[in-house]
Amino acid sequence: MSKRVVVGLSGGVDSAVTAHLLQQQGYEVVGIFMRNWHDESVTINNECPWIDDSNDAMLVAESLGIPFQVLDMSAEYKTRIVDYMFREYEAGRTPNPDVLCNREVKFDIFLDAAMNLKADFVATGHYCRKETIVNEKGETIYKLLAGVDGNKDQSYFLCQLSQAQLAKALFPIGGITKPEVREIANKIGLPNAEKKDSQGLCFIGKVKLPTFLQQQLQPKPGDIIEIIGHEEHFTRAAWNGSFDPQELTRVCSAHSFSPAMGKKAGRHTGAHYFTIGQRKGLGVGGHVHPLFIVETNTNENLVYVAEGGEHPALNRWGLFIPKADIHWIRPDVAIKPGEHRILDTRIRYRQPLTKTTLAMTEEGLYLLFAQAQRGIARGQFAAWYDGEELLGSGVIS
């Protein structure tokens, strides 16, 4: 008897080819479209493509000859993802809803729904891979690996998954490239073979983030402060190898800012709409080089900017993740207090990996970079890799 797999059909070509490949491998495939959002008081209904996406998913299911249904998860999505987003931005932090969507929705609520349909696995169109090993104790361990397509690797978005979630997950397209996915879709005549990849937020499609935030978080005009000089305040030497708590704090703490460091350069609509590293949407001209946001202070409603992408206020040599916010996909290789390890890390999707020393203390995990990193914001997820394998992640303090 073939095993049953529930595929999250998004209406896009990646999940469609995922379903086809599983059919070819002999699985009994069921397609489900996840409806995550239909709050007309917040989203712009005319631009929300979920109906088109649902229809495309249904056409894919018909083309493949598999059962199909729509699962409304909007109530849970609002509670777990959307409300979290608003709380984080309001507090001056930068959340990643896609990471949370995978942990809280696709591989939790959706996974539970699939298990209620007597499924053995769930599958998504993520460009990543899963590998199963058995350790010396005879325990089954699941490894999350980067996708072979370096331009599409989406392992970062799954950095919060657990062993239990990975045990039930399949990623059929992780071993092929996007052009190969398009080629397969055209070859078998899928109706969405040439459909463009989705853009915008993961649940409201074409609506851009600032537009979405402004419908929930009220405008709060305030000053933009341009940092003038004070480079020495932000320029730090790289980590010297000492695990002294003061040295770790010196390297990894966020920069501090005050209005006395610069001058008023303009006005903003609300500090909670912006994030560190952002350069668009400020509306401040008259500079040779672009202005970049180096800090947002939602308590004082101030946005600090500096001219040029190389300004030292944009760069940091390290960061800290509190103990409660550390997550290991592979608990069996977790670093213990007093230990350290050199791994590769990234703090955002598509960012090149950088060599990093991870030092564990009783209070949490310090990440010390071999090269200074730009645009680190509180609330982002830092993920760490050993070669192709994603080992864990945490929320930046």
Side-chain angles (χ1 to χ4, degrees):
M1 184 176 178
S2 61
K3 292 189 174 182
R4 176 177 292 179
V5 183
V6 171
V7 177
L9 287 180
S10 66
V13 67
D14 295 332
S15 61
V17 171
T18 291
H20 165 70
L21 293 177
L22 290 168
Q23 278 187 312
Q24 297 297 104
Q25 295 168 23
Y27 289 101
E28 177 193 352
V29 179
V30 177
I32 291 183
F33 177 83
M34 292 175 270
R35 185 185 183 189
N36 293 333
W37 193 253
H38 56 79
D39 185 347
E40 295 183 12
S41 69
V42 176
T43 190
I44 301 175
N45 195 50
N46 291 336
E47 294 188 5
C48 187
W50 79 264
I51 296 176
D52 291 339
D53 289 340
S54 177
N55 289 336
D56 288 342
M58 181 178 65
L59 292 174
V60 166
E62 289 178 355
S63 177
L64 296 175
I66 62 174
F68 174 76
Q69 67 182 75
V70 175
L71 181 63
D72 190 339
M73 300 190 296
S74 54
E76 297 92 339
Y77 197 96
K78 181 181 185 303
T79 300
R80 297 201 192 189
I81 309 301
V82 178
D83 290 347
Y84 148 82
M85 270 185 64
F86 287 134
R87 286 195 305 271
E88 288 288 276
Y89 273 104
E90 196 166 24
R93 293 161 62 89
T94 303
N96 190 313
D98 293 308
V99 172
L100 265 291
C101 180
N102 286 312
R103 186 186 78 185
E104 300 286 333
V105 178
K106 292 179 183 175
F107 293 95
D108 189 358
I109 303 169
F110 179 67
L111 176 59
D112 287 344
M115 295 301 107
N116 289 335
L117 294 175
K118 309 299 182 186
D120 298 283
F121 299 101
V122 296
T124 62
H126 284 102
Y127 286 86
C128 62
R129 294 169 291 154
K130 184 180 85 169
E131 185 177 296
T132 304
I133 60 174
V134 178
N135 66 13
E136 55 192 20
K137 298 179 183 178
E139 300 167 330
T140 300
I141 304 293
Y142 300 99
K143 301 170 69 173
L144 179 61
L145 307 178
V148 299
D149 188 336
N151 292 321
K152 291 292 293 183
D153 170 37
Q154 295 172 314
S155 57
Y156 173 80
F157 291 129
L158 303 174
C159 67
Q160 285 277 294
L161 294 193
S162 67
Q163 285 288 299
Q165 290 169 316
L166 276 178
K168 296 294 185 180
L170 297 176
F171 309 108
I173 65 172
I176 59 178
T177 65
K178 182 73 178 196
E180 289 173 318
V181 166
R182 293 280 189 197
E183 184 179 349
I184 291 170
N186 279 301
K187 184 176 180 180
I188 65 174
L190 286 176
N192 62 351
E194 295 301 327
K195 184 177 180 178
K196 293 182 179 179
D197 292 344
S198 61
Q199 301 292 328
L201 297 181
C202 59
F203 54 94
I204 55 173
K206 297 177 184 177
V207 181
K208 295 181 179 180
L209 179 61
T211 303
F212 183 70
L213 290 176
Q214 287 168 18
Q215 294 178 57
Q216 187 74 10
L217 302 178
Q218 295 300 312
K220 189 178 179 182
D223 289 338
I224 298 173
I225 305 296
E226 181 182 355
I227 300 299
I228 306 294
H230 299 280
E231 279 80 0
E232 71 285 349
H233 179 84
F234 307 107
T235 302
R236 296 174 181 170
W239 180 54
N240 65 9
S242 168
F243 284 87
D244 176 77
Q246 288 186 334
E247 170 65 6
L248 292 173
T249 301
R250 179 192 71 82
V251 176
C252 295
S253 62
H255 298 306
S256 59
F257 298 84
S258 73
M261 290 180 171
K263 65 176 183 178
K264 179 179 174 181
R267 297 279 286 174
H268 62 76
T269 54
H272 46 263
Y273 297 147
F274 299 91
T275 187
I276 294 173
Q278 182 177 336
R279 71 178 180 89
K280 294 184 178 180
L282 286 168
V284 179
H287 292 76
V288 176
H289 303 289
L291 293 178
F292 289 83
I293 295 175
V294 295
E295 173 67 350
T296 61
N297 186 326
T298 55
N299 291 326
E300 298 178 4
N301 197 34
L302 295 173
V303 171
Y304 291 92
V305 299
E307 185 173 3
E310 302 304 317
H311 195 284
L314 269 173
N315 297 322
R316 286 173 56 180
W317 284 97
L319 59 85
F320 176 69
I321 298 172
K323 184 177 181 179
D325 293 327
I326 301 169
H327 171 75
W328 288 92
I329 295 174
R330 290 279 305 276
D332 57 310
V333 299
I335 304 171
K336 297 179 176 59
E339 296 180 346
H340 69 279
R341 191 177 308 163
I342 297 177
L343 296 169
D344 294 312
T345 63
R346 63 166 48 107
I347 58 173
R348 62 179 67 87
Y349 176 52
R350 290 188 181 277
Q351 182 195 33
L353 291 168
T354 185
K355 287 294 178 187
T356 306
T357 298
L358 278 69
M360 182 67 77
T361 68
E362 294 292 345
E363 291 72 35
L365 184 64
Y366 289 90
L367 274 61
L368 303 131
F369 306 123
Q371 300 290 329
Q373 298 298 296
R374 192 176 88 171
I376 295 175
R378 298 178 299 277
Q380 289 175 315
F381 287 91
W384 44 91
Y385 292 72
D386 182 5
E388 291 186 309
E389 184 181 4
L390 176 51
L391 297 181
S393 65
V395 183
I396 300 171
S397 174

